[in-house]
């Protein structure tokens, strides 16, 4: 079970959080002008990598704030947690 | 004679405390400090159970938690527990144990016929035989369960109490043997917070079963005393680490009072479940001796060499007077010499040809005979051993030949080497590598998971000598403390011999006069699941070559012991067959739990009433007093119906439903989700969340809204009211309350952070009583200062006032299609409101109604319930609700998906009413509308029933459902085919069965 560093509360147990998939996917503007493929890309397609993943978390049983995390999906090592809207932190070169 | 194998002196038992116990109904005695296993052995009881598949007689193999054979049914009645290992049960007075997997009794077992027909029960037998046809599996299964079951589960409620606790520490030490104690004392001396868990009743680990120097004993005694007294150390004896999870989160079960006997724990729990978060973990889990795989190596009396040593040294029991020690390494020589010193006649059979001079000399001194380069080719006896035959091994170790020596013996003490207990390192995500020097897998620290910082020290790291264990322990204790910011100064260590396994020359499969699999002898490697070397050969012939396939095909390593004694032997035998190296076959993955644990421990205090919290509305006590029958809705207890004397559910619901449309009914609607939404952008926000328009909604007005996900599918609905320009009161479905709040927050925080909107759950702040029915206005007016006339208080509006002096917000909204008012008061007034209205309602024939009536009357009006009439694949258009979808808004959540090819295609299931030809027939919900009735499935489905009731107000049965192209099929007759084969015809209708014009609501 992870320990997650909520940007607002600090380190807490994973049971207080829920994960909501890939981060940094903005909802498109003027959705009516999108092709089916573009809309489908937004609602259905995610990268699902084995390795470094920028993803959304919410401190559901805590401050209820949403934030982003950089996690290695193969090892579950979390390299960074950061506020929504902040730029992606760089992935470390060497990671396990 | 009792305890005839008990030695005169020695061991960690108290000969002054005699304990009486029974095994299979017969009474025996043992001593305080015994395990059930050692006490049985002291009494000469060697036959302890029957094996899983072949029902072969089995006895003790080990002295610790790796024991695969001696599984006991412990105690009777509510306290009974199956599959307990005799080696882990501390003896207490009055203990009752029963052998398992035998019928009618242990001596004469009916299932032993399986042994005679073993040719027909090879590996993969169950798999192949019972794969197909599936229908026969049910028949076979009963037979298999009876024939192959191990113990019996208790049928009575568990009378014991279980606790759970969290702990946090700097350094967690797993194992209190030499390595663990050295690590713990070093870390503790630095000031770090240390927790030490050990599965045994006292610290010492393998040393409890070994002869120790006085210097070591003194060190251990001092170390344990110091740890026990340290405020920064928690010593947890009788505690087994069950699982190692990410970020150094580990779980352990402490057997707090098991050793006292059932019901004797006083005010302490039986077991305590620990959840420990450690900054650093030191694994000092030791190692497990593995057996040699030789012909009939499962006979009662064939034991592991270190087990024989342990029974002598720790329990003062000599397992037999004539002992053959069979080994491929140096460590068993200690057992031979020790047994001889305690009066046994001992012969050593060593598969190696060259053995160190020192070892040979020590045997000579102890008067022990030695066969070099020999092997046991057969074991005589079935419920016990009376002799073995010993023959010379060929140079390649593949065959035996020459003179067969018969040696009389009761016990074979065998050692195939030592397997490091890498379970915890493996569970932590670390990878293993094969160490040729010790012939075993050891942790590869370069492939450890960084989020789980740990150290493996001592025997579990392949370092078997006590000297190495102490040195590694001190180093890890110091390093772990340093990693937590403490400085350790290593204390003094005792000088100990550089003992250990010594030299090993592997012989993975000991040959006999017949090739493996031929003749009657069996070479077992997995005792608990009854898997033999011949099964591995069969698996290889049939192509199950990798370890994962081998496991599943033969079931090796898949019993409750998870192959603690068998895994490496299985891998090695497969490697030999394939001509491969052992690591090429693979390593097995170790999964929690390390040893079986009770459901009680996992559940802890969260059982019975505490298993799941109930949510009660403020009026709950009144509902109980008024005889409501409750329904679970999420965690809520909601009144389902209020039966009067002599009424069943149907009668009560028919009466309540009728009353709602004839006079007035009252429903506790407090569970509806309520969200307070404030901020200058609140209306803008709702425009995106709902499908319809919100900006122009007047203050004090209410509007129904549908929420869609981005797929365009309905996921919640409810009425939202504008309290002020920048203030809305949203309601959601009862079950959707938390989900909707989360949904709103997600969009506000992640997509529209610049919007000035705040959402707050107020579900539990308001108690809600809904008045529905033609007399609702009269009733409300009689208790309220609000002008309830239709002009002053029109449909879909909200007024504030008082009800019998209670401040209230009253919403004129309706989920029944009747004249209706939802009265909201602060939660603390809820019960008073309810009781007041019940009293005031008497002149108006007020009727309490529950959720079932709510469902019936809303269905009469064709009002949907999200999650019942919709299922996540339904758009507003599918529900014939395009009236609520704005044509003017540029965007809202889910809008773009209406244009997707699938959502916009013809022939989608659409919402309709269904009236059966026979008005008395109530369709089952979920019944399928089929294109063509056939005798048996599959049939093409056109739709299904989502809601179905007998309606007293329509005077017949009614149903709602989804039907392909249903909006264009009104008036058609469709056919439903039920599970029981009945075929029912129904007419497709409009879903509104009452008051199509909607006049009652607005009147
Ligand atoms: Zn937080």
């Amino acid at each position: 079970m992870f320990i997650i560093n909520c940007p607002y509360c600090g380190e807490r147990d994973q049971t207080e959080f829920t994960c909501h998939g890939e981060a940094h996917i903005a909802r498109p503007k003027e959705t009516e002008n999108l092709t089916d493929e573009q809309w489908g890309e937004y609602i259905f397609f995610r990268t699902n990598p084995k390795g470094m993943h920028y993803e959304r978390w919410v401190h559901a049983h805590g401050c209820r704030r949403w934030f982003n995390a950089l996690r290695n999906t193969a090892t579950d090592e979390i390299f960074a947690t950061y506020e929504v809207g902040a730029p992606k932190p760089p992935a470390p070169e060497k990671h396990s | 004679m009792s305890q005839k194998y008990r030695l005169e002196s020695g061991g960690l038992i108290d000969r002054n405390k005699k304990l009486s116990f029974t095994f299979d109904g017969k009474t025996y005695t043992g001593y305080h400090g015994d395990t059930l296993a050692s006490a049985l052995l002291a009494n000469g009881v060697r036959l302890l159970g029957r094996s899983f598949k072949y029902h072969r007689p089995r006895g003790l193999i080990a002295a610790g938690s790796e024991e695969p054979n001696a599984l006991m049914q412990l105690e009777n009645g509510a306290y009974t527990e199956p599959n307990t290992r005799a080696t882990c049960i501390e003896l207490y007075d009055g203990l009752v144990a029963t052998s398992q997997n035998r019928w009618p009794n242990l001596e004469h077992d009916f299932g032993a016929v399986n042994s005679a027909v073993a040719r027909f029960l090879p590996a993969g037998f169950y798999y192949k035989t019972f794969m197909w046809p599936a229908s026969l599996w049910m028949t076979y299964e009963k037979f298999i369960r009876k024939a192959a079951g191990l113990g019996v589960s208790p049928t009575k409620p568990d009378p014991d109490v279980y606790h759970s606790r969290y702990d946090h520490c700097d350094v967690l030490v797993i194992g209190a043997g030499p390595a663990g104690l050295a690590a713990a004392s070093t870390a503790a001396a630095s000031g770090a917070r240390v927790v030490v868990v050990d599965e045994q009743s006292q610290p010492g680990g393998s040393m409890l079963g070994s002869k120790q120097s006085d210097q070591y004993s003194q060190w251990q005694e001092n170390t344990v005393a110091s740890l026990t007294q340290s405020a920064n150390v928690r010593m947890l004896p009788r505690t087994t680490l069950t699982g190692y999870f990410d970020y150094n989160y580990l779980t352990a079960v402490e057997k707090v009072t098991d050793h006292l006997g059932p019901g004797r724990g006083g005010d302490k729990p039986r077991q305590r479940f620990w959840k420990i978060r450690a900054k650093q973990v030191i694994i000092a889990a030791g190692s497990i001796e593995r057996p040699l795989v030789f012909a009939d190596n499962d006979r009662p009396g064939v034991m592991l060499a270190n087990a024989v040593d342990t029974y002598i040294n720790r329990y003062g029991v000599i397992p037999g007077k004539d002992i053959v020690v069979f080994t491929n390494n140096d460590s068993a020589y200690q057992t031979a010499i020790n047994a001889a010193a305690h009066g046994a006649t001992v012969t050593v059979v060593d598969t190696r040809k060259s053995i160190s001079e020192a070892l040979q000399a020590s045997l000579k001194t102890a008067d022990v005979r030695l066969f070099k380069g020999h092997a046991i080719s057969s074991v005589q006896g079935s419920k016990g051993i009376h002799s073995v035959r010993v023959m010379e091994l060929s140079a390649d170790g593949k065959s035996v030949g020459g003179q067969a020596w018969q040696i009389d013996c009761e016990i074979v003490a065998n050692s195939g080497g030592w397997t490091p207990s890498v379970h915890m390192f493996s569970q932590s995500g670390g990878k293993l590598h094969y160490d040729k020097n010790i012939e075993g897998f050891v942790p590869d620290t370069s492939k450890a998971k960084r989020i789980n910082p740990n150290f493996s020290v001592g025997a579990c790291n392949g370092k078997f000598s006590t000297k190495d264990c102490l040195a590694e322990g001190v180093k890890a204790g110091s390093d772990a403390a340093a990693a937590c910011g403490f400085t350790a100064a290593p204390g003094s260590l005792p000088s100990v011999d550089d003992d250990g396994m010594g030299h090993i020359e592997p012989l993975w499969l000991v040959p006999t006069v017949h090739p493996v699999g031929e003749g009657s002898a069996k070479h077992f490697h997995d005792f608990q699941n009854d898997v033999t070397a011949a099964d591995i050969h069969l698996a290889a012939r049939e192509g199950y070559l990798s370890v994962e396939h081998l496991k599943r095909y033969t079931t090796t390593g898949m019993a409750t012991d998870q192959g603690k004694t068998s895994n490496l032997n299985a891998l090695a035998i497969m490697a030999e067959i394939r001509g491969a190296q052992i690591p090429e076959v693979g390593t097995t993955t170790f999964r929690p739990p390390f040893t079986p644990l009770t459901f009680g421990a996992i559940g802890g205090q969260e059982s019975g009433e505490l298993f799941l919290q109930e949510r009660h509305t403020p009026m709950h006590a009144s509902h109980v007093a008024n005889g409501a029958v409750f329904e679970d809705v999420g965690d809520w207890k909601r009144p389902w119906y209020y039966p009067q004397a002599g009424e069943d559910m149907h009668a009560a619901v028919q009466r309540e439903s009728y009353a709602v449309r004839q006079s007035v009914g009252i429903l506790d609607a407090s569970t509806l989700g309520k969200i307070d939404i404030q901020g200058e952008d609140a209306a803008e926000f709702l425009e995106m969340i709902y499908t319809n328009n919100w900006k122009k909604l007047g203050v004090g007005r209410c509007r129904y809204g549908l929420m869609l996900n981005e797929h365009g599918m309905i996921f919640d609905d409810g009425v939202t009211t504008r309290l002020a320009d920048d203030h809305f009161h949203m309601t959601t479905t009862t079950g959707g309350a938390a989900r909707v709040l989360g949904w709103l927050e997600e969009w506000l925080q992640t997509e529209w952070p610049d919007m000035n909107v705040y959402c707050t759950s107020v579900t539990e702040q308001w108690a809600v009583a809904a008045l529905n029915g033609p007399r609702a206005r009269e009733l409300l007016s009689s208790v309220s200062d609000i002008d309830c006339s239709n002009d002053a208080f029109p449909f879909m509006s909200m007024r504030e006032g008082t009800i019998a002096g209670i401040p209230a917000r009253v919403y004129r909204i309706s989920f029944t299609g009747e004249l209706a008012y939802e009265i909201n008061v602060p939660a603390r007034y809820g019960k008073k409101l309810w009781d007041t209205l019940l009293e005031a309602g008497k002149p108006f024939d007020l009727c309490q109604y529950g959720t079932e009536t709510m469902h019936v009357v809303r269905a009469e009006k064709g009002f949907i319930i999200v999650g019942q009439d919709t299922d996540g694949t339904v758009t507003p258009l599918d529900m014939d609700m395009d009236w609520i979808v704005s044509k003017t808004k540029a965007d809202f959540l889910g809008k773009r998906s209406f244009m997707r090819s699938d959502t916009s295609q013809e022939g989608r299931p659409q919402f309709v009413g269904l009236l059966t030809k026979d008005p008395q027939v109530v369709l089952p919900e979920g019944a399928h509308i089929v294109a063509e009735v056939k005798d048996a499935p599959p049939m093409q489905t056109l739709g299904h029933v989502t809601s179905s009731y007998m309606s007293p107000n329509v005077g017949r049965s009614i149903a709602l459902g989804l039907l392909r192209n249903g909006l264009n099929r009104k008036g058609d007759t469709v056919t439903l085919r039920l599970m029981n084969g009945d075929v029912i015809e129904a007419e497709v209708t409009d879903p509104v069965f009452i008051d199509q014009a909607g006049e009652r609501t607005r009147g």
Side-chain angles (χ1 to χ4, degrees), chain B residues 659-882:
Chain B
V660 168
R661 299 212 187 278
Q662 292 304 315
S663 53
V664 57
I666 182 168
L667 172 82
D668 181 355
S670 305
T671 65
L672 274 189
K674 295 177 276 293
I675 300 169
D676 186 84
I677 301 174
Q678 298 191 43
E680 63 187 29
D681 299 318
E684 196 72 45
F685 176 59
L686 293 179
E687 290 269 308
M688 284 302 291
I689 292 293
Y690 283 127
T691 60
N692 48 352
N693 296 299
W694 292 85
K695 279 195 224 164
K696 289 182 186 153
L697 183 69
V699 171
R701 300 293 297 187
C702 316
R703 185 162 285 173
Y704 175 74
L706 270 187
M707 271 181 215
L708 312 184
N709 57 27
E710 284 280 53
H711 304 272
M713 306 301 164
I714 296 170
F715 99 95
D716 208 82
D717 69 347
V719 171
T720 292
T721 303
R722 192 166 206 161
L723 302 174
D725 268 350
D726 59 353
H727 191 184
F728 291 84
H729 175 84
M730 174 186 278
T731 65
T732 74
T733 59
T734 294
R739 193 166 54 235
V740 170
L741 181 64
W743 177 249
L744 303 182
E745 284 291 346
E746 176 181 350
W747 288 102
L748 281 173
Q749 291 185 36
T750 67
E751 205 63 41
W752 308 312
D754 296 333
M755 274 193 172
N756 181 355
V757 181
Y758 298 88
C759 302
T760 309
S761 168
V762 292
T763 301
E764 296 190 346
Q765 276 62 41
W766 295 100
V768 183
L771 296 177
N772 280 269
R775 305 193 73 180
R777 179 177 289 127
E778 292 172 72
L779 168 53
L780 181 59
S781 300
S782 74
V783 291
S784 175
D785 58 1
I786 298 169
D787 180 352
C788 294
S789 68
N790 208 18
D791 290 342
F793 191 178
F795 181 53
M796 294 307 268
S797 62
M798 187 278 291
R799 294 290 178 270
E800 290 182 280
T802 59
I803 312 289
I806 306 167
R809 285 181 189 163
V810 181
Y811 300 82
R812 192 177 159 190
I813 55 179
S814 175
F815 195 41
T816 59
E818 293 297 322
L819 172 64
Y821 301 91
E822 293 193 359
I823 303 165
N824 286 235
V825 298
R828 62 184 178 281
Y829 295 113
K831 186 174 184 308
K832 184 174 181 225
L833 172 73
W834 191 264
D835 295 341
T836 302
L837 287 170
L838 282 190
E839 190 58 37
K842 279 179 182 163
F844 309 99
D845 294 331
L846 178 67
C847 173
Q848 300 178 93
Y849 69 97
T851 51
E852 189 63 20
T853 290
M854 175 185 83
H855 283 157
V856 173
V857 293
R858 66 88 203 176
E860 291 172 345
K861 277 290 292 175
F863 291 151
I864 64 166
I865 289 187
V866 172
Q868 177 169 340
D869 299 296
T870 71
D871 61 4
T873 67
V874 185
T875 68
L877 277 58
D878 297 335
M879 296 307 283
D880 200 14
M881 294 171 82
D882 57 341

Side-chain angles (χ1 to χ4, degrees), chain A residues 5-10 12 16-17 58-67:
Chain A
N5 189 11
C6 171
Y8 307 96
C9 305
R12 298 294 156 92
E16 297 184 11
F17 299 84
V58 59
H59 194 183
H61 301 285
C63 65
R64 297 189 60 80
R65 298 290 293 271
W66 287 71
F67 60 91

